Amino acid sequence: MSLDWLNPMWWLVTGVIVFKIVALADAAVRREDAYPAADKKTKAFWLLVLGLAVVLDLLFTNSVFGIFVLAGLVAAIVYMVDVRPAVRAVSGGGSGGNRRNAGPYGPR
């Protein structure tokens, strides 16, 4: 029986992988035309970058390719912090537009 889950590094690596998978899934469900409309790279570009980040993370977590794992983490952070909010605002999802000051019973 392996007790890897007791190791804090295991939790860190697992969290990074889950974060990258969430970023990839989010990029996959966004509309393709929203990316250029938000003045960002194309959907295919982000799917390729984030997909490679997940694959490299799963294959080379404990090897000399650690720099690629970090580069993939940076790409996922850039997507989640910069690209995702812009694409959501353009496509009408999330807290964009008139909903910023809206409470549960309408505008405040």
Side-chain angles (χ1 to χ4, degrees), residues 15-45:
V16 168
I17 292 171
V18 168
F19 180 71
K20 289 178 183 180
I21 291 171
V22 168
L24 177 63
D26 186 80
V29 298
R30 300 290 168 196
R31 290 186 0 219
E32 189 168 346
D33 62 336
Y35 288 86
D39 200 27
K40 303 298 177 187
K41 296 282 188 184
T42 64
K43 180 177 182 173
F45 171 82

Side-chain angles (χ1 to χ4, degrees), residues 19 23 46 49-50 53 69-81 83:
F19 180 71
W46 283 108
V49 168
L50 296 171
V69 173
L70 290 176
L73 178 61
V74 169
I77 291 170
V78 167
Y79 176 81
M80 293 297 277
V81 171
V83 178

Side-chain angles (χ1 to χ4, degrees), residues 37-90:
D39 200 27
K40 303 298 177 187
K41 296 282 188 184
T42 64
K43 180 177 182 173
F45 171 82
W46 283 108
L47 288 176
L48 178 68
V49 168
L50 296 171
L52 279 173
V54 170
V55 169
L56 290 175
D57 209 1
L58 293 174
L59 292 178
F60 303 116
T61 299
N62 295 324
S63 71
V64 75
F65 295 104
I67 190 72
F68 295 118
V69 173
L70 290 176
L73 178 61
V74 169
I77 291 170
V78 167
Y79 176 81
M80 293 297 277
V81 171
D82 181 43
V83 178
R84 181 176 182 253
V87 171
R88 286 180 70 189
V90 166

